[in-house]
Amino acid sequence: MPRSKSYNTYSNLQRPEFRKRVDELLLKFERDFYEKSKGAEGMLDASRFDMDLYKRHNVETMIRIGLKRAVDPLVANYWATRDPQLCKEWGLYGAEEGRHDRMFAGDLHKVGMTDEEIYAIRPTFATELLNGYFYYTLATEGPLASMISGFYLEYIAGKTQPDWLDIMEQHVGAGNTKGARAHLALDEDDDHVDMVWNMIMRVIKDEADEERFVEHLTKINALFVSYFVEVYASTILGAGKDPSQLAQVAPASSVQTNLESRVSATA
């Protein structure tokens, strides 16, 4: 049964052949992340758990949710006069997702962080770049990139978070990851991956639109990979003590990942 007012109401998966191509591409992105991003393989190794990385990852998840909460109403507003049904669907989805930061806050409270400490932390440069991309594309072409980010997060979280949480729970306890688990369960029960996909497919009309989708997806993946690289550098490698050094991490990583991913997308 759906847990919220935002759940998949489409009877069929839209553009299934294109979805097959996108699924294969996302699997390549995931494989490349574990193989090429320094420290990524440690997310699957219980002996390499780091509490600072765990905390910073959850804080950044909260920050991203809060920032996206300001973007999603702009997406819905864009469709208000163009596709009222999509406006309604995205409005419900944005309203639901925008509340989920408190799920992660609950987990952070259980490992000793207060709200004051959480909200005093500034976003990573990678997160700032990602949100800049949302506003730039909203201003120049519309909300497609912002919508694709929703699909990307739903898909990747469903693939990676269960394994990560299994590792984390060995150190912080299953009772201290209830927020993250509840988030995953809600997304699964409401079929958010296919729901967001189907919403986006309402505006994908031809091959040119599909190629633009892939281009946005590739850049968004690069920015999310650079977020991990930046958080790893600041916590595990200690680069956070040198802001000028850390400021170079996200742009360099995102450019490199984007170039490599474009090769994967055309392979």
Side-chain angles (χ1 to χ4, degrees):
M1 291 290 293
R3 295 193 181 192
S4 72
K5 294 181 179 179
S6 178
Y7 56 91
N8 190 16
T9 60
Y10 292 78
S11 58
N12 297 300
L13 185 70
Q14 306 300 299
R15 289 184 175 263
E17 288 303 314
F18 181 47
R19 175 61 179 274
K20 181 180 178 182
R21 175 189 172 191
V22 169
D23 285 353
E24 291 172 352
L25 181 59
L26 286 167
L27 289 173
K28 285 184 179 180
F29 288 168
E30 182 185 3
R31 183 174 63 249
D32 287 347
F33 169 70
Y34 285 119
E35 292 178 355
K36 298 178 181 179
S37 297
K38 184 176 178 61
E41 73 283 356
M43 299 297 286
L44 302 176
D45 185 347
S47 68
R48 296 169 63 181
F49 175 82
D50 183 90
M51 181 59 78
D52 288 338
L53 179 63
Y54 170 77
K55 290 179 178 179
R56 190 66 186 85
H57 166 68
N58 278 350
V59 168
E60 199 69 15
T61 299
M62 289 183 61
I63 291 172
R64 284 201 309 269
I65 291 171
L67 291 171
K68 195 63 160 48
R69 190 163 55 227
V71 174
D72 282 328
L74 301 178
V75 175
N77 183 67
Y78 179 91
W79 294 116
T81 57
R82 295 171 172 88
D83 187 334
Q85 180 62 29
L86 183 53
C87 171
K88 174 185 176 181
E89 292 173 2
W90 199 270
L92 289 171
Y93 173 63
E96 177 60 44
E97 289 296 312
R99 304 182 303 157
H100 291 177
D101 55 338
R102 299 307 300 169
M103 294 180 176
F104 294 93
D107 290 347
L108 288 168
H109 294 162
K110 292 172 183 176
V111 292
M113 290 192 76
T114 65
D115 274 349
E116 289 74 17
E117 291 172 317
I118 293 168
Y119 289 110
I121 296 174
R122 297 286 303 166
T124 61
F125 193 16
T127 292
E128 293 175 334
L129 292 172
L130 177 67
N131 279 268
Y133 187 62
F134 294 157
Y135 286 106
Y136 167 74
T137 52
L138 271 164
T140 58
E141 64 178 86
L144 184 60
S146 302
M147 297 170 73
I148 291 169
S149 175
F151 169 73
Y152 175 89
L153 275 174
E154 297 286 359
Y155 189 100
I156 293 297
K159 290 288 186 182
T160 61
Q161 291 298 306
D163 290 337
W164 291 8
L165 287 170
D166 288 345
I167 298 297
M168 293 170 185
E169 286 173 358
Q170 295 181 39
H171 295 271
V172 303
N176 293 338
T177 62
K178 287 184 177 179
R181 289 288 189 189
H183 184 250
L184 285 175
L186 188 149
D187 287 345
E188 182 177 354
D189 288 350
D190 290 354
D191 197 16
H192 275 184
V193 175
D194 287 351
M195 180 193 74
V196 178
W197 171 267
N198 287 333
M199 283 194 282
I200 297 170
M201 291 306 105
R202 293 179 70 93
V203 299
I204 301 296
K205 305 298 185 183
D206 53 32
E207 186 175 338
D209 290 340
E210 290 182 355
E211 294 310 313
R212 189 61 176 147
F213 180 107
V214 170
E215 184 178 351
H216 283 312
L217 188 70
T218 302
K219 291 178 179 178
I220 288 165
N221 175 69
L223 287 165
F224 272 103
V225 169
S226 70
Y227 142 73
F228 175 82
V229 172
E230 184 176 352
V231 169
Y232 183 83
S234 66
T235 57
I236 306 298
L237 302 182
K241 299 175 183 177
D242 183 351
S244 63
Q245 179 185 8
L246 190 60
Q248 302 174 43
V249 172
S253 173
S254 61
V255 170
Q256 179 180 353
T257 303
N258 182 54
L259 291 173
E260 293 174 350
S261 297
R262 288 178 67 181
V263 173
S264 294
T266 57

